[in-house]
Amino acid sequence: MTKISNIGLGTAAIGRPLYINIKNTAQTGGVFNITEFKQEGMQVLESAYQKGIRYFDTAPGYGLSEQLLIEWLQEKNDPTIKIGTKWGYTYVANFDSNADVHEIKEHSLSKLNEQWEVSKQLLPYLSFYQIHSATLDTGVLENEKILNRLHEIKKKYSVQVGITASGANQLEILEKASAISIDNEILFSVYQCTFNMLEQSIRKVDQLFKNGTQLIIKEALANGRVFNNSNYPEYNSFYAYLEKLESELQVGRDAIILSYCSTIYPNAIVLSGANNETHLSSNLNAPKVKLTGTQIDELSKFKVAAEFYWNERKKLTWN
Ligand SMILES: NC(=O)c1ccc[n+]([C@@H]2O[C@H](COP(=O)([O-])OP(=O)(O)OC[C@H]3O[C@@H](n4cnc5c(N)ncnc54)[C@H](OP(=O)(O)O)[C@@H]3O)[C@@H](O)[C@H]2O)c1
């Protein structure tokens, strides 16, 4: 088994039964069974590991996800495993598919301290500790007490601290975060952001992803919008080109797109959000896909305006 260094497993969909994306697989009916759900999650973690994945992305906002990883790591003794977690969202839906509210965002010092007490159980595998969805409105990037506490965690526990960013203003957030220094040292060195051929705005700040900073790419499959969908007729030519590539390369578009992201950003960790064996195996064909310069250029032409992309993203529901 070859270790896969540029793909990580995002565990949002194995930690809670509902998630914001386009469901392609039919939901199994019946009552939610937490024991089975945990077993399935554990199987995905182990299968990803057996297939060579060594980076796992989690967050307290992902329901059971951190607990699954904490338990799973107890059986592991492999220093090549790396975990990235976050703080700032609390999962509140209690696995109820009818819940009105699934998560609550709170960028306060007390929330950071509370969630750190749990997340630190991921040490020594914990490598990246990120502000979950840093935004300008919560003031988190101006809160000195929080920034100092993150600096303290970084120094005391030898973790890299970072931010995750979403939305049409993710560039502004990245630039603001990258300018923060404590003790003459840049505080953040991990940036988790959205990138795919439809949403390419981070290409304007490529200089941020150099000099020892780690880029982590999330939502590479545009939350499922890259799969043929009659609700998005504006992507018909994109879908047609992906079909052509799938037939030429004899591989699924998920692997093609993950490979596209890794080609543009060879040092990035691209997250697979697979929550089952079929998607995982299919996503992990990505390292075998070698795209030509022409194919990369053609795919890059399908970018849309960030505002358009994020307006569409806002309309996706929990399912
Ligand atoms: N920091 C943040 O704020 C943040 C936000 C979002 C995500 N993330 C991280 O990024 C990870 C990945 O994000 P994501 O899962 O939301 O986005 P994604 O990778 O863009 O999209 C996942 C979608 O692709 C579908 N899919 C995947 N492989 C497929 C295949 N082979 N065939 C058909 N459909 C396939 C999934 O379908 P199904 O629904 O049917 O499985 C799902 O709809 C998350 O697990 C999380 O760790 C972080």
Side-chain angles (χ1 to χ4, degrees):
M1 173 262 300
T2 317
K3 285 184 191 160
I4 301 171
S5 60
N6 59 354
I7 299 182
L9 182 73
T11 62
I14 63 168
R16 55 193 186 189
L18 298 192
Y19 192 44
I20 300 172
N21 60 23
I22 294 165
K23 267 270 166 271
N24 289 295
T25 44
Q27 296 272 45
T28 47
V31 182
F32 174 72
N33 181 322
I34 196 156
T35 310
E36 279 174 20
F37 186 70
K38 273 181 83 170
Q39 280 166 356
E40 284 161 14
M42 283 292 192
Q43 276 164 16
V44 175
L45 291 178
E46 185 57 25
S47 176
Y49 178 77
Q50 294 301 337
K51 291 177 194 310
I53 294 272
R54 291 294 177 271
Y55 181 72
F56 298 85
D57 174 78
T58 181
Y62 299 165
L64 285 174
S65 165
E66 278 196 331
Q67 282 310 322
L68 286 179
L69 276 163
I70 289 165
E71 276 179 43
W72 178 75
L73 287 167
Q74 282 169 5
E75 306 295 316
K76 292 278 168 287
N77 182 17
D78 179 350
T80 66
I81 297 174
K82 280 184 166 197
I83 309 289
T85 192
K86 322 183 184 86
W87 70 275
Y89 275 89
T90 306
Y91 177 70
V92 293
N94 196 26
F95 311 101
D96 176 1
S97 56
N98 298 314
D100 291 331
V101 182
H102 291 261
E103 56 188 15
I104 293 175
K105 183 172 185 172
E106 182 185 329
H107 283 163
S108 68
L109 182 61
S110 58
K111 184 54 70 179
L112 163 58
N113 284 329
E114 173 200 314
Q115 294 192 325
W116 172 251
E117 282 308 304
V118 178
S119 300
K120 72 181 189 188
Q121 295 174 69
L122 293 162
L123 291 164
Y125 297 101
L126 184 61
S127 305
F128 305 146
Y129 195 54
Q130 303 147 98
I131 302 174
H132 199 162
S133 202
T135 42
L136 304 178
D137 61 326
T138 67
V140 68
L141 296 176
E142 286 161 5
N143 186 322
E144 282 189 20
K145 286 186 180 150
I146 287 178
L147 298 176
N148 285 332
R149 177 68 176 131
L150 289 172
H151 181 251
E152 190 179 87
I153 288 172
K154 168 177 164 170
K155 292 293 166 192
K156 183 165 175 192
Y157 297 96
S158 295
V159 294
Q160 284 179 253
V161 295
I163 64 156
T164 81
S166 295
N169 67 346
Q170 63 174 348
L171 293 194
E172 204 183 333
I173 295 161
L174 289 171
E175 283 177 332
K176 190 172 172 90
S178 68
I180 298 170
S181 292
I182 294 185
D183 290 347
N184 295 319
E185 190 184 87
I186 302 281
L187 178 62
F188 298 114
S189 58
V190 182
Y191 300 112
Q192 184 181 129
C193 358
T194 296
F195 175 73
N196 54 60
M197 45 276 270
L198 299 174
E199 173 28 337
Q200 298 178 38
S201 43
I202 64 164
R203 300 233 46 198
K204 293 188 193 124
V205 292
D206 278 354
Q207 76 282 359
L208 294 185
F209 313 129
K210 293 183 177 145
N211 305 325
T213 58
Q214 179 65 59
L215 170 64
I216 300 171
I217 294 174
K218 65 182 166 75
E219 301 176 301
L221 303 177
N223 318 99
R225 277 171 285 167
V226 299
F227 297 95
N228 289 13
N229 187 325
S230 57
N231 291 325
Y232 301 103
E234 69 274 23
Y235 297 143
N236 281 348
S237 56
F238 176 47
Y239 296 151
Y241 185 65
L242 287 170
E243 274 170 19
K244 180 173 166 288
L245 278 187
E246 285 178 319
S247 131
E248 276 169 24
L249 301 170
Q250 287 297 297
V251 71
R253 68 187 61 185
D254 51 330
I256 293 171
I257 296 168
L258 296 176
S259 170
Y260 169 88
C261 295
S262 295
T263 309
I264 304 276
Y265 290 110
N267 298 321
I269 298 171
V270 184
L271 295 178
S272 152
N275 66 351
N276 60 64
E277 191 56 43
T278 312
H279 285 182
L280 183 63
S281 299
S282 177
N283 289 183
L284 293 186
N285 282 325
K288 291 179 225 149
V289 178
K290 304 288 170 236
L291 296 168
T292 65
T294 310
Q295 288 164 340
I296 292 286
D297 291 345
E298 287 301 312
L299 286 167
S300 298
K301 287 182 190 163
F302 292 104
K303 84 169 171 190
V304 296
E307 288 286 348
F308 179 86
Y309 180 91
W310 290 102
N311 271 333
E312 223 173 44
R313 165 78 166 84
K314 269 189 216 151
K315 290 182 193 141
L316 298 178
T317 51
W318 292 81
N319 62 45

